[in-house]
Amino acid sequence: MHLEAIEQQLIQVARQAREHAYAPYSGYTVGAAVLTDDGRIVAGCNVENASYGLSVCAERVAVFNAVASGARHITAAALCTADGGTPCGACRQVLLEFAANPETCTVWVVKPDAIVERYTLTELLPHPFRR
Ligand code: THU
């Protein structure tokens, strides 16, 4: 599989972000990265809480971090877990909100040492809620 340099960087940032995950309750560490339409890569990791329901997924941390730094459009995302897990449904909807184009927004699902799958956001969430 041929990857552009920016896609390789996106995946590497997601892998590095996983090392910052705070997941003492589940033990399941996740790293994420999003690429903004102005060419920036923004990282996120899951951040858990003793009150379990307050935990936030890595993808949402990355998206909210990007939005808080001024971005409004995401062109690609990467997610790194130990077992190649795909984004949860809530995170798919949050990614969709800011996807420049869901049909072309690539979501890389990777492990630390391998690329597992490449999806588009439309493949992951074909019927999003929209307003
Ligand atoms: N998690 C993510 O960070 N992203 C997902 O898409 C699925 C789940 C986190 C939430 C929780 O901290 C841990 O993984 C176990 O569910």
Side-chain angles (χ1 to χ4, degrees):
M1 194 186 312
H2 173 74
L3 271 71
E4 303 290 335
I6 192 75
E7 296 173 305
Q8 292 184 14
Q9 283 175 35
L10 183 71
I11 289 167
Q12 280 309 113
V13 170
R15 287 176 171 145
Q16 286 160 10
R18 180 167 169 262
E19 290 167 23
H20 296 145
Y22 178 73
Y25 305 105
S26 73
Y28 189 79
T29 56
V30 186
V34 294
L35 178 63
T36 63
D37 65 343
D38 56 357
R40 289 181 297 129
I41 293 175
V42 184
C45 61
N46 56 332
V47 182
E48 297 187 346
N49 193 273
S51 178
Y52 299 167
L54 303 183
S55 302
V56 184
C57 292
E59 302 91 311
R60 274 179 281 165
V61 171
V63 170
F64 296 160
N65 194 8
V67 171
S69 65
R72 287 293 180 273
H73 299 291
I74 287 165
T75 57
L79 176 66
C80 180
T81 62
D83 60 0
T86 57
C88 82
C91 288
R92 293 177 195 202
Q93 180 72 35
V94 169
L95 284 164
L96 192 283
E97 181 80 22
F98 296 102
N101 179 355
E103 302 269 351
T104 58
C105 182
T106 301
V107 180
W108 296 95
V109 173
V110 308
K111 297 183 192 182
D113 56 0
I115 293 172
V116 175
E117 194 58 80
R118 171 192 188 150
Y119 299 101
T120 68
L121 194 50
T122 297
E123 288 173 328
L124 291 176
L125 189 64
H127 302 288
F129 177 68
R130 287 192 187 277
R131 291 209 56 192

